[in-house]
Amino acid sequence: MRIDLKSLSIGAAVTAVLAAGAWMFMGAPAAGQSSGTPNAFPASFRAQRTVSGRPDLNGIWQAMTTANADVLDHDAYAGPYPAMMGVYGAWPGGQGIVEGNEIPYQPWAAEKAKENAAQRMVVRVTGDDSQNDTGDPELKCYRPGIPRANYMPFPFQIFQTDEQVMIVYEFKNAVRTIHLTDAYPEGPADSWMGWSNGTFDGESLVVDVKQFNPYTWFDRAGNFHSDGLHVVERFTPASPYHMQYEATIEDPKVFTRPWKVRFPLYRRMEPNVQLVDFNCVPFVEDMMYGNLDSE
Amino acid sequence: MSGQSKRWTAVVATAAAGILVLWWSAAPVAKQNGQQNAPNPVIKATSDPAWTPSKTAWGHPDLQGIWNNGTYTSLERSLKLADKEFFTEEEAVAYYNDMAAADVDGRRDQLVHYDFTQYGLDKWQNGVKANLRTSVIYDPKNGRLPPMTPEAKARLSVPRPRGADIRSRGITERCITGYWGGLPMLTNSGGPGADAEHQILQTKDYVLIVSQSSNDNRIIPLDGRPHLSSRIPRWFGDARGRWDGDTLVIDTTNLGHTSFRGASPQMHLVERLTRVREDVLLYQFTIEDPATWTAPISGELPWVTSPGPMFEFACHETNYGLLNILKSQMAAAKRGGPTESRRRARTEGELPVGAR
């Protein structure tokens, strides 16, 4: 049984490699011809189907952006405590993921984003909600929220059934359920990852996410939202190995208009690739609880 | 009030006192009537010949749903019961009622800051049923953990007192894991009855198990791939699954981060999950750890269906309790007093299932 399975998986891997070769050989030049740019996806792509005929999004995916540092265009920089951390703490520069490279903050909110950035490493553990007033939630190993979870520098795995899609993010083992039926239109309370309902629109999984708490950030640069956040995501297969990800972000309490982020997701292709643990709670305990006795 | 609404109430921790008063009064009534009014109070852990297991669209046995593995059954059999492996139905119901009453009464002399029952957190309020087994463990035949090896005794003889140092606190207290705190999947019967739900989701290539408590999860590939190298310990082990008829067999290694009752990182766990009835999933496990026990350990526990959906469980994000525990431990240390609360000492003395 075991040997059979193993040879099956080897067979599947070989097939995948051959398919990849065929796609690069035939698909890529065709795409180049149609769009004139070598790095554009084919204009139309029909994804492999699930048994029930929907685009099959199952797999391990990862973004290749540097947007977790800053969703806007940003330079590389040394990062915190360079005297100790050297290049270990440095963050790469990169082009942002925000359409138009601008977040349409209301004036007060633009100031608040700057204040957030200045205080992103100020961590106070107060034992009530005020401990969320400063400090990047990522720094404290909190759930990253949506859309940030999708461009953290960690893989995530999609499990798709007819009733729901569950996504397990390696960062903190955060889980979200996207309900595909109308059984659960609303959650019982605001949450870090929000409440997700999904529908398929042609090749795209469209996810409506609401009921966020106000504590997650979009990046380490202090970009933020309120509990009025509403995100509409589109996961659109663009090749056997890529999905286009787009999120429309609105929050009338913080922004003057909706805005969008967009970036590709890449299928992780290593043989036997799997998520491992990034259970970061033990990594932040000294930072969060180490100074209590000095109070 | 639907089960779903009930769970919302429990998770959000907003009281629906009127409804809960009804539940509260239902238990004694059922007891007086010899459970005649209650739906079948004993879990049938054996196959129902009249029931045909359903399959997924791709032909795998369908184990999907939300399952509650809460139980009043202890891991080890009481010495009083000796070689009695099963209760009669009557005895099982009587045991269940006693334990449900103890859930309520046992807290009366304790310093609790709220009443679990008020929030629907007791096990009897969360679908937990009576079990014919007198212990989770059925092998060794006496229903008890086998003798430990001298090596394990030496390893575990080093005292690890809990105090103000965060690393001395339990992993569940620190929100590193949820209530079941490692493998095998046995709920912590020392904790409340809520959050014992586990969702099983299946695709052609994977089985995913996500727990309500802390949203702990296990991703189980079905493609026969080898285990991860021992360089990568996992909080819930490295799981590999295969189908054996209607049974999902999960082989798990790499359990170096957690320890079941003093097990070594070399513990090898094989679990078997079989849907024996529409509403019962039989969970069986065998533990082999020659570095710790002189014999393998096997046990089983039926899980019952539970209403959905699953919710986010952001434990670490709002772990205000830990802050207060550490502060109280520091204050106690300054006073030179005992650095553990009476309540925890009491709970640990009882060695609840799954606790360590």
Side-chain angles (χ1 to χ4, degrees):
Chain A
M1 181 73 177
R2 175 143 301 209
I3 290 161
D4 287 346
L5 284 172
K6 204 173 268 180
S7 58
L8 270 179
S9 75
I10 290 166
V14 169
T15 310
V17 169
L18 290 176
W23 179 78
M24 284 164 68
F25 219 73
M26 300 173 340
Q33 283 159 18
S34 61
S35 68
T37 49
N39 62 342
F41 293 116
S44 64
F45 171 73
R46 186 178 155 83
Q48 184 181 316
R49 267 24 198 186
T50 63
V51 174
S52 58
R54 286 171 166 162
D56 186 349
L57 310 185
N58 283 294
I60 300 179
W61 304 91
Q62 189 166 348
M64 297 276 280
T65 76
T66 58
N68 187 49
D70 190 336
V71 292
L72 302 173
D73 290 356
H74 55 278
D75 193 5
Y77 62 110
Y81 307 111
M84 179 173 65
M85 295 296 292
V87 84
Y88 274 18
W91 299 347
Q95 294 158 294
I97 58 172
V98 179
E99 188 179 74
N101 197 35
E102 187 199 344
I103 298 175
Y105 281 118
Q106 295 174 19
W108 74 269
E111 289 307 308
K112 170 71 176 156
K114 282 183 204 162
E115 186 188 314
N116 282 349
Q119 301 203 322
R120 66 186 161 200
M121 294 191 66
V122 177
V123 174
R124 293 192 194 98
V125 179
T126 57
D128 57 46
D129 286 351
S130 71
Q131 68 184 35
N132 297 301
D133 290 350
T134 65
D136 178 1
E138 181 203 356
L139 183 73
K140 296 179 269 190
C141 183
Y142 289 179
R143 280 168 172 73
I146 303 296
R148 189 177 186 179
N150 297 311
Y151 51 81
M152 295 288 288
F154 293 85
F156 58 86
Q157 185 160 0
I158 294 180
F159 301 86
Q160 180 181 348
T161 70
D162 287 347
E163 290 76 34
Q164 54 190 235
V165 171
M166 288 189 101
I167 305 184
V168 178
Y169 295 93
E170 184 167 293
F171 182 82
K172 201 185 161 58
N173 271 327
V175 177
R176 65 189 288 213
T177 302
I178 300 167
H179 299 283
L180 299 180
T181 67
D182 54 8
Y184 307 111
E186 288 194 348
D190 290 354
S191 61
W192 295 80
M193 301 295 281
W195 191 263
S196 296
N197 287 279
T199 54
F200 279 90
D201 174 19
E203 292 297 308
S204 301
L205 170 63
V206 182
V207 189
D208 186 283
V209 202
K210 61 193 178 188
Q211 291 185 279
F212 289 98
N213 71 31
Y215 307 131
T216 61
W217 289 8
F218 295 115
D219 55 24
R220 294 178 179 179
N223 289 307
F224 77 107
H225 60 84
S226 76
D227 59 2
L229 177 66
H230 175 218
V231 179
V232 178
E233 304 169 279
R234 293 184 79 91
F235 295 83
T236 310
S239 90
Y241 319 104
H242 305 86
M243 277 200 283
Q244 281 288 21
Y245 177 85
E246 183 183 285
T248 303
I249 293 157
E250 58 179 358
D251 183 345
K253 294 184 189 174
V254 177
F255 310 117
T256 58
R257 58 171 170 82
W259 52 285
K260 284 186 180 183
V261 299
R262 187 181 297 119
F263 53 89
L265 292 166
Y266 296 76
R267 189 189 290 278
R268 291 285 300 266
M269 295 295 292
E270 298 88 333
N272 293 336
V273 64
Q274 69 174 80
L275 301 192
V276 294
D277 292 316
F278 191 77
N279 188 340
C280 45
V281 175
F283 308 158
V284 300
E285 287 177 329
D286 287 331
M287 179 188 76
M288 293 184 68
Y289 305 105
N291 296 319
L292 291 183
D293 48 4
S294 63
E295 280 178 10
Chain B
M1 190 178 196
S2 72
Q4 177 190 326
S5 307
K6 186 187 92 182
R7 288 208 35 230
W8 287 17
T9 307
V11 171
V12 184
T14 55
I19 302 295
L20 289 162
V21 164
L22 288 176
W23 286 340
W24 172 279
S25 54
V29 168
K31 196 172 180 179
Q32 284 160 19
N33 297 347
Q35 293 288 339
Q36 284 165 13
N37 294 341
N40 187 349
V42 181
I43 312 176
K44 303 283 187 198
T46 52
S47 296
D48 176 2
W51 180 71
T52 311
S54 54
K55 303 273 187 191
T56 63
W58 53 92
H60 286 164
D62 192 348
L63 311 184
Q64 295 183 99
I66 297 182
W67 302 95
N68 185 317
N69 76 343
T71 186
Y72 284 121
T73 307
S74 58
L75 177 70
E76 293 190 273
R77 193 175 307 152
S78 155
L79 289 170
K80 280 183 296 188
L81 293 167
D83 292 327
K84 185 179 171 68
E85 189 174 355
F86 294 100
F87 287 129
T88 64
E89 289 212 6
E90 215 168 51
E91 289 168 339
V93 171
Y95 175 80
Y96 176 91
N97 284 336
D98 286 351
M99 295 301 281
D103 240 4
V104 178
D105 296 339
R107 285 190 301 269
R108 293 221 169 110
D109 61 341
Q110 293 177 6
L111 298 166
V112 289
H113 61 282
Y114 62 71
D115 182 347
F116 289 161
T117 310
Q118 187 188 350
Y119 296 101
L121 296 174
D122 269 355
K123 289 193 194 78
W124 57 271
Q125 295 174 308
N126 284 280
V128 170
K129 290 185 175 184
N131 182 7
L132 290 176
R133 282 204 172 275
T134 56
S135 59
V136 172
I137 292 178
Y138 63 80
D139 184 26
K141 304 292 177 216
N142 65 358
R144 300 185 66 82
L145 292 164
M148 277 195 164
T149 61
E151 177 195 341
K153 282 181 188 161
R155 189 175 71 230
L156 297 168
S157 66
V158 183
R160 299 178 64 189
R162 290 183 173 170
D165 173 10
I166 185 140
R167 282 177 185 71
S168 73
R169 311 306 311 180
I171 56 175
T172 298
E173 209 170 54
R174 290 152 69 191
C175 293
I176 294 173
T177 70
Y179 292 131
W180 49 294
L183 295 174
M185 293 179 69
L186 301 171
T187 191
N188 180 355
S189 71
D195 308 315
E197 297 87 2
H198 305 274
Q199 179 168 6
I200 297 181
L201 201 76
Q202 291 172 235
T203 67
K204 263 187 280 195
D205 305 316
Y206 291 91
V207 175
L208 172 66
I209 304 179
V210 177
S211 300
Q212 179 58 78
S213 186
S214 220
N215 294 157
D216 291 331
N217 54 78
R218 304 170 74 190
I219 295 171
I220 305 161
L222 301 172
D223 61 1
R225 67 180 68 186
H227 277 294
L228 284 173
S229 95
S230 59
R231 291 170 176 248
I232 309 181
R234 307 283 319 270
W235 284 94
F236 292 95
D238 189 55
R240 300 290 180 258
R242 63 181 172 87
W243 293 103
D244 176 13
D246 288 331
T247 299
L248 174 68
V249 182
I250 311 171
D251 187 291
T252 301
T253 59
N254 299 46
L255 283 158
H257 279 319
T258 58
S259 171
F260 170 74
R261 298 293 181 111
S264 79
Q266 284 75 47
M267 178 176 125
H268 178 212
L269 175 69
V270 176
E271 297 154 287
R272 298 174 63 89
L273 277 72
T274 315
R275 192 172 196 155
V276 290
R277 288 161 188 266
E278 179 64 27
D279 57 353
V280 179
L281 190 74
L282 183 61
Y283 175 79
Q284 299 169 298
F285 64 90
T286 297
I287 294 166
E288 287 185 354
D289 184 7
T292 306
W293 289 290
T294 53
I297 301 158
S298 292
E300 71 173 35
L301 191 67
W303 299 0
V304 294
T305 46
S306 194
M310 300 291 276
F311 301 105
E312 179 175 290
F313 196 111
C315 177
H316 165 68
E317 286 84 342
T318 48
N319 195 354
Y320 305 150
L322 179 60
L323 180 70
N324 293 328
I325 288 167
L326 294 174
K327 281 182 171 174
S328 75
Q329 294 294 298
M330 283 168 194
K334 270 181 199 161
R335 284 198 311 268
T339 56
E340 266 305 334
S341 68
R342 278 183 295 155
R343 179 157 188 275
R344 174 157 291 280
R346 179 192 165 113
T347 306
E348 287 192 338
E350 289 166 3
L351 278 179
V353 173
R356 57 193 61 81

